[in-house]
Amino acid sequence: MNLEISALKYLDEIKNENFTVEEFISKTIEHIKKIDGNLHAFLSINEKAIQQAKEIDRKIKSKEKIGKCMGMPLSIKDNICVKDTKTTCASKMLEDFISPYDATVIKNLKSEDAIIIGKTNLDEFAMGLTTEFSAFGPSKNPWNTDYVPGGSSGGSAVSVSALECIASLGSDTGGSVRNPASFCSTVGFKPTYGLISRYGLISYSNSIEQIGPLTRTVEDTAFLLNIIAGQDPMDNTTIDNKGENYLKNLDAGIDGKKIGVISEMTKNVDKEVSSATKNAIVQFEKLGAKIEEISLDMIDYSVASYYTITATEAGSNLARYDNLRYGYDFDLEGYEFNSYISKARKNFGPEVTRRMILGGFVPSAGHAGKYFLKALKVKNKLTAEINEAFTKVDLLISPTVPILPFKFGEKIDDPVALFLIDFNTVTANLTGKPAISVPFEISNGLPIGIQIHANTLQDKLVLQAAHALEKTTNLPGVSI
Amino acid sequence: MVKIGLEIHCQLTKLESKLFCPCKADYRSFEPNTNICPVCIGLPGSLPRLNQKAIEKGTLISLALNCKIPEKISFFRKNYFYPDLPKNYQITQFDAYGHTSIGNNGKITIEGKEIRITRIQLEEDPGRLIYEGTSEKNKITLVDYNRAGTPLVEVVTEPDFENPKQVRVFMNILVDLLENLGVSEPSLEGAVRADGNVSIEGGNKVEIKNVGSFHDLEKAVHFEITRQQSLVERGIPIELETRQWDDRRKITVSARSKEEEQDYRYFLEGDIPWILLDPKYVDQFKQNMPESIASKRDRYIEQFKIPAQVADVLSSDKFYSDLFELAHNEKNAKEVANIITTDLMGFVDTKEKRQQSKLTSKHLSDLANAIINNTITRNSSKSALQEIVKTGKSLNEIITELDLGHVSDEFELSAVIEKVINEESIAVKEIKEKPETVNFLVGKVMKKTKGKADPSLTLELLKKKLKIY
Ligand SMILES: [Zn+2]
């Protein structure tokens, strides 16, 4: 039994009775116990996983109706609520928070007999790009444990690439799924805004973020989308995808499609990343696509706009953590309210505190016009620009991250340098467009991903292009 | 010149559920913290889902106050820390970046004066703080989130009021209007709360907060004007400030809070998409609007020749006007109106009594018809009505049971009259000099028949008997 297996392959093996769910889950847990002390992908493990596996095996044996996931182990970023499970956002602030309800995506997965194997590490409240801002210590990149795995869904990417699960759900606010996917050589997808319900995803910047899958193959992403995408009455911002089947015609290819290469996103990049991008363009041409260069002027302001908007929304979204109703152990008796609040909220880490201070300032009276409202203008203009671009081309591509994975501690003290790593990913969030990162090369043992965008609700087109590009590669798995 | 503006918060108590979750809008009967869910206590990851019915009610109110309704509206976050606020922001509406609240630029005329309505906005009510303990040392604050998320409508007026009396008249009209629209029950405790702002010539604007009952608003405004005038007379400048209404002492006191410096960092609530209000949709509401109080009043006067005072009472109380509309026909309208405004009002003067009342519109119309057809006297009708309210039995049953049938039989009545003439010989002797004494005799007959005698027949028979013409 090999743990390096795609979701669809797993289903075949279970159907052919090559192994039982219990066997697979047991082996996965054994593997996690062996390696996760070092990699630290997980913040908690589902203690009932084997029991759940047995129950699914029983259902399979007695030919009862069985869900599409057939007991496949999935990991979940620890900012998505799973009932009766700690959901910490990798923050001391929520150290003891046990969610009393399931996020909609979790409900959907559970009803299809997926097994939530554990909750994965992230930068505190999803603010960061390396997992170094997790209050419980960073995750390590399995390709080279001296290197960061990317973030904020770093634990999810590590768990997929290090075979600790079949696939994972992360969240992507400015690249938080795609960035670690690129750094750890997995597929990472940020869907059209509103395609997947955010109910139960702990908000960081709610107007631009989405839950997204991290998987071994593009097919697996399509498989998961079929389960978790679509309108949800619990989230008013979800949109109707008309019951789209993302697996159907996934191999349609991209012959005749027009692809724009975003020039701003290919300018200031590492030379290995630049060369990989050129190779990808060659492959796309071979697949029959027509390539042209596209410039989006507003992209130069996108990171500034992104940080202004996310700080503003974070300042509001994280205000509820006052420890009155839930949180961590703290005796609130004897405090006057204002002094209580400042004391109770001291448990946020440095990056969250930094962004909340920014979030208190940029939308405040007297400053909003200079910062927050300008940031919204950039967002609107950028959206108009990309909409205009999509009248000329079908897809837009770029490297997912301008640079190669880097070592721990290399950039953590330089917030501005860290911010620029987001340069290629924030546009999809600000404009609500779908974007994917596909593993494309391994350069000196470090993964490089290629990013593909399409227009709103053209999620399937993104997957088709990614699937076509994926087939041109033959990348090794990580050796653990 | 005195300038007064108002901000009135009114709970949409007629809605089934809260503004953004399925918990009950009617939180009053619950044990503390039992009418809650992940959304209204702001659990991590929960999202608001808009109660569309609240949009409908907001539209109705905006139309009734002659407001403009934008083609698309949105919600904003008002950010501040307070223990009764589960998310530490309130989802509300905000007009600073263009008209995106449910209504704007309305007006309402009171006693010939036009009061401009600045805007109408929908928002969520916070939870409730309950203070216990008497001294600073043992003072504790308890939080009950049952109310958190209850749908509120805020009506903001321009500073168009010139005196406290106008404030009172406006509040009465507004409260009747909200009740008439079927959106709220203003009599419920805390359902209508108002803040005011008052300024006089040469002084700064002073906000009055915390006026718990709208009845006290007039008093609070009056106190504030007097206070400000006495400051001016003594040459003391009036400061820009917020003052709290002290309900016990009936005065305003300086809030000494940082209210003015508070920066709410308003921004768009991304969890609730823009709501499109198609003008066609709004037009439908316009056509199906409940008839306004003023129009009801005019119609009652014109169509049924009901006296203006009676029409005022009938039209401004939805409980009465609903009864009236169902009970009346062209013939008995005046009588039905009469019964409601003279007798019924005494029997159902509280909310509890109204809820317990067994009276139906059928009862009312039966009773009116009986009076018109002389099968019951007006006098007996009051006892019958009281019994109906209590038991809900049919009028016929009650007439039989209580023996309220009209004595209009000439023979039976003559016997009673004979008796009265014998008993009241002194009065009978006086009648030649003082003809009005006959009314005294009619009264005696009525008493003997327990009010069932037909008064006009009695008078006629008495006159005949005593030969006075
Ligand atoms: Zn609720």
Side-chain angles (χ1 to χ4, degrees):
Chain A
M1 183 171 38
N2 189 353
L3 291 177
E4 187 169 8
I5 183 175
S6 74
L8 295 187
K9 184 88 171 94
Y10 167 88
L11 298 177
D12 281 344
E13 302 275 27
I14 291 286
K15 276 179 207 154
N16 296 332
E17 294 177 29
N18 290 342
F19 50 74
T20 64
V21 177
E22 188 188 349
E23 282 165 354
F24 195 85
I25 295 288
S26 299
K27 190 166 177 196
T28 302
I29 289 177
E30 220 172 275
H31 179 62
I32 292 173
K33 283 193 173 144
K34 205 168 81 197
I35 65 163
D36 209 58
N38 182 30
L39 292 180
H40 196 228
F42 286 93
L43 292 178
S44 61
I45 297 290
N46 177 6
E47 303 293 342
K48 292 185 185 139
I50 291 180
Q51 196 184 314
Q52 289 162 3
K54 281 181 179 160
E55 170 60 14
I56 294 167
D57 279 332
R58 188 196 61 73
K59 282 210 270 186
I60 294 171
K61 262 207 193 97
S62 58
K63 308 261 185 256
E64 278 176 46
K65 196 177 179 297
I66 182 88
K68 285 180 196 153
C69 292
M70 302 185 90
M72 105 184 19
L74 302 177
S75 72
I76 305 293
K77 190 179 185 179
D78 206 22
N79 63 348
I80 298 172
C81 289
V82 177
K83 197 177 175 198
D84 299 332
T85 299
K86 264 193 190 178
T87 301
T88 66
C89 288
S91 176
K92 293 251 190 249
M93 209 65 209
L94 288 178
E95 201 167 3
D96 299 324
F97 174 65
I98 294 173
S99 176
Y101 73 99
D102 273 328
T104 297
V105 288
I106 300 301
K107 227 183 206 172
N108 293 343
L109 288 171
K110 281 183 176 172
S111 74
E112 293 294 352
D113 286 320
I115 290 178
I116 311 300
I117 195 82
K119 305 292 293 289
T120 55
N121 197 16
L122 62 151
D123 290 288
E124 184 175 2
F125 281 100
M127 299 178 193
L129 288 152
T130 64
T131 69
E132 285 167 294
F133 293 124
S134 165
F136 308 120
S139 304
K140 289 180 186 165
N141 194 322
W143 291 85
N144 184 334
T145 51
D146 292 337
Y147 284 70
V148 301
S152 63
S153 314
S156 286
V158 173
S159 70
V160 174
S161 73
L163 314 180
E164 295 172 294
C165 60
I166 295 253
S168 186
L169 291 187
S171 68
D172 190 313
T173 310
S176 280
V177 161
R178 290 161 288 154
N179 172 292
S182 174
F183 276 16
C184 294
S185 196
T186 76
V187 175
F189 181 52
K190 198 287 291 183
T192 296
Y193 184 79
L195 190 73
I196 297 177
S197 169
R198 287 182 296 112
Y199 189 75
L201 166 67
I202 296 179
S203 291
Y204 153 30
S205 186
N206 52 307
S207 76
I208 60 174
E209 67 203 359
Q210 277 286 288
I211 288 173
L214 294 99
T215 58
R216 297 214 174 96
T217 67
V218 176
E219 256 184 340
D220 286 2
T221 290
F223 168 76
L224 284 178
L225 273 190
N226 280 350
I227 295 167
I228 61 174
Q231 206 153 25
D232 176 20
M234 304 296 277
D235 176 358
N236 284 179
T237 64
T238 50
I239 48 181
D240 186 5
N241 71 341
K242 311 236 158 43
E244 179 76 89
N245 179 350
Y246 296 93
L247 278 170
K248 204 177 158 199
N249 298 329
L250 189 63
D251 51 7
I254 48 163
D255 190 18
K257 295 280 183 237
K258 285 185 206 152
I259 296 181
V261 180
I262 303 172
S263 47
E264 287 80 2
M265 292 188 188
T266 46
K267 253 189 275 171
N268 300 310
V269 301
D270 284 358
K271 66 177 193 309
E272 295 86 350
V273 175
S274 180
S275 131
T277 310
K278 280 176 191 139
N279 295 339
I281 291 169
V282 171
Q283 292 304 329
F284 277 127
E285 277 176 327
K286 278 191 189 160
L287 291 164
K290 287 186 196 79
I291 307 286
E292 63 180 283
E293 200 157 303
I294 291 269
S295 173
L296 301 170
D297 294 343
M298 293 314 285
I299 283 184
D300 287 338
Y301 306 98
S302 63
V303 172
S305 163
Y306 168 79
Y307 277 97
T308 306
I309 291 170
T310 53
T312 298
E313 293 190 353
S316 177
N317 286 323
L318 272 61
R320 68 185 64 186
Y321 305 115
D322 55 19
N323 226 39
L324 280 181
R325 296 160 295 278
Y326 49 81
Y328 61 96
D329 193 25
F330 184 91
D331 184 10
L332 48 79
E333 211 158 304
Y335 281 99
E336 178 275 327
F337 183 66
N338 285 320
S339 61
Y340 163 73
I341 277 284
S342 18
K343 183 107 186 168
R345 283 168 62 78
K346 286 249 155 58
N347 249 8
F348 286 123
E351 181 63 12
V352 173
T353 305
R354 199 149 44 219
R355 295 198 198 187
M356 299 250 266
I357 292 169
L358 189 64
F361 175 73
V362 289
S364 61
H367 303 286
K370 230 153 94 195
Y371 302 106
F372 181 59
L373 298 179
K374 263 202 183 140
L376 290 179
K377 258 186 207 161
V378 169
K379 180 177 188 265
N380 291 338
K381 278 194 166 173
L382 181 61
T383 307
E385 269 185 15
I386 202 165
N387 285 340
E388 168 70 20
F390 281 124
T391 64
K392 294 181 204 139
V393 296
D394 303 300
L395 297 156
L396 288 168
I397 62 162
S398 74
T400 307
V401 189
I403 58 171
L404 287 168
F406 48 91
K407 286 186 178 163
F408 284 103
E410 217 172 281
K411 303 196 192 265
I412 190 168
D413 295 325
D414 188 352
V416 178
L418 271 179
F419 285 5
L420 285 173
I421 301 170
D422 284 333
F423 190 85
N424 286 6
T425 43
V426 297
T427 294
N429 301 87
L430 288 173
T431 59
K433 308 298 179 192
I436 200 167
S437 177
V438 193
F440 188 66
E441 278 184 14
I442 307 291
S443 170
N444 294 324
L446 294 173
I448 298 171
I450 294 296
Q451 177 172 237
I452 306 168
H453 307 80
N455 210 346
T456 307
L457 276 177
Q458 300 269 356
D459 299 72
K460 191 160 172 176
L461 181 60
V462 171
L463 297 182
Q464 286 166 339
H467 186 57
L469 183 66
E470 180 186 50
K471 279 197 292 191
T472 69
T473 65
N474 187 19
L475 299 176
V478 74
S479 53
I480 307 154
Chain B
M1 240 251 299
V2 176
K3 280 185 174 178
I4 307 158
L6 300 179
E7 282 174 26
I8 303 113
H9 290 90
C10 171
Q11 291 178 339
L12 300 176
T13 62
K14 289 285 194 175
L15 283 179
E16 185 64 29
S17 54
K18 291 184 178 179
L19 191 49
F20 300 114
C21 68
C23 296
K24 296 283 174 225
D26 179 12
Y27 57 86
R28 289 176 175 79
S29 56
F30 286 86
E31 287 290 304
N33 295 314
T34 57
N35 182 37
I36 54 173
C37 74
V39 177
C40 60
I41 58 164
L43 283 194
S46 67
L47 296 172
R49 34 192 206 279
L50 180 63
N51 180 349
Q52 289 295 339
K53 289 263 184 283
I55 302 289
E56 292 175 15
K57 303 284 182 203
T59 307
L60 271 181
I61 296 168
S62 299
L63 287 172
L65 293 173
N66 306 300
C67 286
K68 289 194 185 116
I69 295 173
E71 290 194 15
K72 56 180 203 169
I73 62 168
S74 59
F75 284 88
F76 278 74
R77 289 189 187 176
K78 180 180 181 180
N79 297 285
Y80 64 99
F81 284 94
Y82 212 66
D84 65 5
L85 204 57
K87 304 182 291 294
N88 285 317
Y89 60 81
Q90 181 194 31
I91 305 178
T92 179
Q93 295 195 288
F94 188 57
D95 267 6
Y97 304 125
H99 292 302
T100 56
S101 296
I102 187 95
N104 66 75
N105 285 299
K107 58 174 190 288
I108 179 167
T109 307
I110 54 158
E111 299 185 325
K113 170 146 183 71
E114 190 172 278
I115 304 296
R116 291 168 296 161
I117 310 289
T118 318
R119 68 176 178 276
I120 294 179
Q121 61 192 46
L122 287 164
E123 61 189 27
E124 54 179 346
D125 216 349
R128 257 158 29 95
L129 297 183
I130 295 139
Y131 301 98
E132 281 188 358
T134 40
S135 74
E136 267 314 307
K137 278 244 167 82
N138 66 8
K139 201 170 94 180
I140 56 164
T141 310
L142 301 168
V143 197
D144 177 7
Y145 293 107
N146 282 348
R147 191 179 76 178
T150 298
L152 280 184
V153 147
E154 182 176 355
V155 177
V156 182
T157 79
E158 293 290 314
D160 288 346
F161 300 93
E162 290 161 346
N163 57 56
K165 185 181 169 238
Q166 286 176 352
V167 169
R168 185 188 70 216
V169 174
F170 174 84
M171 285 307 291
N172 286 338
I173 288 178
L174 183 67
V175 158
D176 288 345
L177 177 143
L178 293 169
E179 196 164 30
N180 183 54
L181 288 174
V183 298
S184 184
E185 298 150 282
S187 57
L188 290 176
E189 189 266 322
V192 179
R193 283 117 58 188
D195 298 337
N197 55 72
V198 177
S199 64
I200 65 173
E201 191 89 61
N204 278 308
K205 185 170 87 174
V206 175
E207 306 245 13
I208 318 169
K209 296 233 170 208
N210 204 26
V211 188
S213 96
F214 70 87
H215 299 291
D216 272 353
L217 188 61
E218 182 188 11
K219 287 182 206 147
V221 167
H222 184 264
F223 176 87
E224 193 48 35
I225 295 169
T226 316
R227 187 188 70 87
Q228 292 183 20
Q229 279 166 344
S230 86
L231 286 181
V232 168
E233 277 162 24
R234 286 178 285 155
I236 304 168
I238 299 163
E239 276 181 66
L240 181 75
E241 64 169 344
T242 299
R243 298 177 69 84
Q244 300 272 350
W245 173 242
D246 184 329
D247 190 41
R248 201 169 45 81
R249 291 186 289 167
K250 306 287 177 206
I251 59 169
T252 66
V253 287
S254 186
R256 255 188 267 281
S257 78
K258 290 176 223 122
E259 209 54 67
E260 282 85 3
E261 300 150 39
Q262 188 78 265
D263 176 4
Y264 293 116
R265 294 181 287 129
Y266 283 97
F267 68 89
L268 202 67
E269 170 55 281
D271 289 335
I272 301 164
W274 286 83
I275 300 125
L276 303 181
L277 295 176
D278 191 327
K280 276 186 214 144
Y281 164 90
V282 175
D283 274 347
Q284 269 178 8
F285 273 96
K286 246 181 225 169
Q287 276 147 25
N288 299 327
M289 280 278 278
E291 188 181 11
S292 77
I293 291 170
S295 146
K296 265 187 208 170
R297 177 185 178 275
D298 295 348
R299 183 163 60 81
Y300 294 167
I301 294 172
E302 189 169 319
Q303 200 176 342
F304 309 117
K305 311 285 176 265
I306 290 173
Q309 274 169 307
V310 175
D312 271 342
V313 175
L314 261 193
S315 59
S316 63
D317 188 310
K318 192 168 157 56
F319 181 78
Y320 297 141
S321 62
D322 282 354
L323 268 176
F324 175 73
E325 299 285 353
L326 289 168
H328 87 267
N329 56 42
E330 292 295 321
K331 269 191 214 148
N332 69 7
K334 238 175 150 170
E335 197 54 57
V336 171
N338 226 340
I339 297 172
I340 294 175
T341 54
T342 54
D343 298 335
L344 184 64
M345 277 175 79
F347 301 142
V348 291
D349 52 352
T350 64
K351 197 183 171 226
E352 290 71 41
K353 287 187 195 166
R354 285 181 179 196
Q355 274 167 351
Q356 284 157 11
S357 162
K358 301 261 170 38
L359 176 92
T360 66
S361 55
K362 167 98 172 42
H363 284 127
L364 263 183
S365 89
D366 286 350
L367 193 58
N369 295 341
I371 293 170
I372 292 167
N373 299 332
N374 265 327
T375 42
I376 191 168
T377 62
R378 198 177 297 281
N379 221 334
S380 314
S381 75
K382 190 168 178 178
S383 323
L385 185 66
Q386 188 167 23
E387 198 60 20
I388 290 170
V389 168
K390 212 159 66 184
T391 65
K393 288 179 183 165
S394 78
L395 180 62
N396 283 337
E397 267 179 280
I398 285 167
I399 288 178
T400 319
E401 265 176 37
L402 300 187
D403 190 21
L404 297 173
H406 203 161
V407 181
S408 52
D409 178 70
E410 226 183 287
F411 180 76
E412 200 183 325
L413 205 51
S414 296
V416 180
I417 287 171
E418 198 71 39
K419 232 181 183 175
V420 167
I421 288 175
N422 286 338
E423 285 170 13
E424 304 291 338
S425 51
I426 302 168
V428 171
K429 275 179 198 153
E430 282 177 4
I431 213 146
K432 290 272 176 289
E433 293 87 56
K434 280 159 75 186
E436 65 272 24
T437 312
V438 75
N439 293 329
F440 169 78
L441 294 175
V442 170
K444 286 288 165 191
V445 173
M446 295 303 274
K447 202 172 175 189
K448 271 210 165 8
T449 58
K450 292 183 188 130
K452 294 190 301 178
D454 180 337
S456 55
L457 183 61
T458 306
L459 184 65
E460 193 187 314
L461 290 175
L462 263 172
K463 282 180 171 172
K464 218 185 203 171
K465 197 92 190 163
L466 300 170
K467 301 195 172 53
I468 44 173
Y469 302 100

